[in-house]
Amino acid sequence: MQRSLRWIGIGLLSTTLSSCGVLRSQLGLNSAQPDKAPPVVSDSPRAAPLQPGDNVIVKAVDRVGPAVVRIDVVKEINNPLGRMFGLGPATQRQQGQGSGFITRSNGLIFTNEHVVRGADKVAVTLPDGRSFTGKVLGGDNLTDVAVVKVVAEELPVATLGDSNNLRPGEWAIAIGNPFGLNNTVTAGIISAVGRTQANNGGGQRVPYIQTDAAVNPGNSGGPLINAAGQVIGMNTFIRAAPGGGLSFAIPINSAKRIAQQIVSTGQASHPYLGVRLRDLTPQLAREINATNPQCKVPEANGVLVVDVEADSPAAAADIRQCDLIRQVNGDKVRNPSEVQIAVDQGQVGEPMQVTLEREGQDVIVEVLPIEIPRNG
């Protein structure tokens, strides 16, 4: 049917064109008029072509790009089948790749902890082709920050900015080595800041920067920079979706704080209170009040204490089950992740003020946090 309709259309078009030709001839409108100028269809004034101006993205990349490195890692993985039954070698080599950026000219490099986790060999390659053997000074799996050191002098350095005052809509430029394509630049904007529930995993202690700049495997550990050529974040993970995805970066102020601890002591320090928390909603509050006569909570949104570990700092400070945490050191908190981030801003062994709501009354307690247990 479609083919027949096409032929019918062509026949009608031929007939119509023939009729139009006769009519134009009768009216003296034949198209062969070489002595006449073409009709005017635009009266816009002529203008000189626009001259290319300074491109802020190019300038920012020129400033930071030389300090962005590729990190290649090799891990030796035990092969139990090979050891027990002779099926292949006893160990197998696993290779990985990520990015990083130099922060000191003597070879100090920031990257993601998951990039160098369990690495037996680390190779660092600069954009100018120079390659060095890297040593992992330490890494923190709670924030995904690691520090690598190479033996070198007078290396190019990336300038660190300030991530405390970022605003959605600002330029966000990512540099890294996605899929092994070295020195790849992508650009977008900061979509949001302070994303406290961006990661599906538990124990979040980072207020992530969300951006629409394209980030892919291999970008991990690379810098997110602003239009001034300053590092404002460290690209760490993506949330993929059909037709697109979201990218998240660790604010550089958080990464710098953790890196300073790693360089000083070999590991990061995280304060620990000893409470288990849950998001409270009006619906959940009604269910709790209807089924648990010993726990009465307001039908509102908040952060509910569902359990207090025995002999923990929280227990010593008289934080109780069914309390609502409203503030930590004067900062309002709205969900468990915000509580963790606020606690992480404190120091182990230094008093921390926590404002609670208990049976409709505000209660202020002082907690003395300890180091988080390393066994989880």
Side-chain angles (χ1 to χ4, degrees):
M1 177 62 72
Q2 291 180 350
R3 189 171 299 174
S4 300
L5 288 174
R6 289 194 194 100
W7 283 110
I8 292 173
I10 291 173
L12 291 174
L13 180 61
S14 300
T15 305
T16 303
L17 289 175
S18 299
S19 301
C20 288
V22 172
L23 181 60
R24 288 177 64 84
S25 178
Q26 293 173 347
L27 296 176
L29 297 178
N30 288 328
S31 58
Q33 298 178 7
D35 56 332
K36 290 189 177 182
V40 176
V41 295
S42 173
D43 57 1
S44 61
R46 291 182 176 271
L50 294 175
Q51 298 299 317
D54 291 338
N55 188 311
V56 295
I57 296 179
V58 171
K59 281 193 169 184
V61 172
D62 285 344
R63 179 172 295 180
V64 179
V68 181
V69 301
R70 188 183 78 232
I71 298 179
D72 294 282
V73 301
V74 175
K75 304 176 185 179
E76 299 290 342
I77 307 298
N78 289 329
N79 179 13
L81 294 179
R83 187 180 301 275
M84 296 174 61
F85 305 108
L87 301 176
T91 60
Q92 295 179 332
R93 301 185 71 185
Q94 187 179 73
Q95 296 181 330
Q97 191 177 87
S99 304
F101 50 98
I102 305 169
T103 61
R104 290 197 62 184
S105 60
N106 65 354
L108 203 67
I109 299 167
F110 286 11
T111 188
N112 282 151
E113 188 271 342
H114 77 260
V115 170
V116 295
R117 183 184 304 156
D120 294 292
K121 295 180 181 179
V122 177
V124 175
T125 304
L126 274 65
D128 60 16
R130 286 181 290 172
S131 185
F132 303 91
T133 298
K135 177 183 178 182
V136 180
L137 298 185
D140 179 47
N141 65 340
L142 290 181
T143 57
D144 202 19
V145 175
V147 180
V148 174
K149 182 72 170 64
V150 299
V151 178
E153 296 292 339
E154 298 183 359
L155 296 179
V157 173
T159 301
L160 304 186
D162 184 358
S163 56
N164 284 343
N165 300 312
L166 299 178
R167 296 179 300 172
E170 294 183 27
W171 280 112
I173 307 160
I175 310 177
N177 308 288
F179 302 113
L181 301 173
N182 296 344
N183 313 120
T184 295
V185 178
T186 56
I189 61 169
I190 294 174
S191 304
V193 295
R195 286 298 197 202
T196 58
Q197 294 177 311
N199 197 343
N200 292 329
Q204 178 173 314
R205 293 173 180 263
V206 176
Y208 292 104
I209 302 168
Q210 179 185 328
T211 174
D212 66 350
V215 172
N216 292 288
N219 273 112
S220 291
L224 186 71
I225 66 178
N226 61 15
Q230 300 169 326
V231 180
I232 55 174
M234 180 194 299
N235 297 311
T236 184
F237 73 93
I238 59 177
R239 291 181 66 175
L246 304 175
S247 307
F248 296 90
I250 304 163
I252 195 59
N253 290 9
S254 299
K256 182 179 178 180
R257 176 174 57 86
I258 297 299
Q260 287 171 333
Q261 296 173 1
I262 291 174
V263 172
S264 297
T265 65
Q267 66 179 20
S269 177
H270 295 287
Y272 177 74
L273 301 188
V275 292
R276 189 159 61 91
L277 308 175
R278 181 173 179 178
D279 277 306
L280 180 70
T281 63
Q283 180 179 354
L284 177 60
R286 287 190 290 269
E287 294 175 1
I288 293 174
N289 294 334
T291 58
N292 188 351
Q294 298 178 344
C295 187
K296 296 298 181 182
V297 295
E299 294 183 7
N301 294 309
V303 184
L304 179 67
V305 178
V306 297
D307 191 26
V308 179
E309 184 179 340
D311 302 321
S312 67
D318 196 32
I319 296 178
R320 305 174 188 175
Q321 189 182 46
C322 300
D323 284 347
L324 269 64
I325 298 181
R326 294 300 191 187
Q327 295 184 24
V328 177
N329 277 343
D331 294 330
K332 294 183 179 180
V333 290
R334 297 166 296 181
N335 55 60
S337 292
E338 288 188 354
V339 173
Q340 286 190 319
I341 291 169
V343 169
D344 213 48
Q345 301 301 313
Q347 299 290 331
V348 172
E350 292 189 4
M352 183 175 295
Q353 192 176 82
V354 179
T355 302
L356 310 169
E357 181 179 339
R358 180 182 297 162
E359 297 179 355
Q361 301 295 320
D362 286 344
V363 177
I364 299 177
V365 299
E366 193 172 84
V367 190
L368 200 65
I370 62 174
E371 180 64 38
I372 189 171
R374 293 294 168 177
N375 59 1

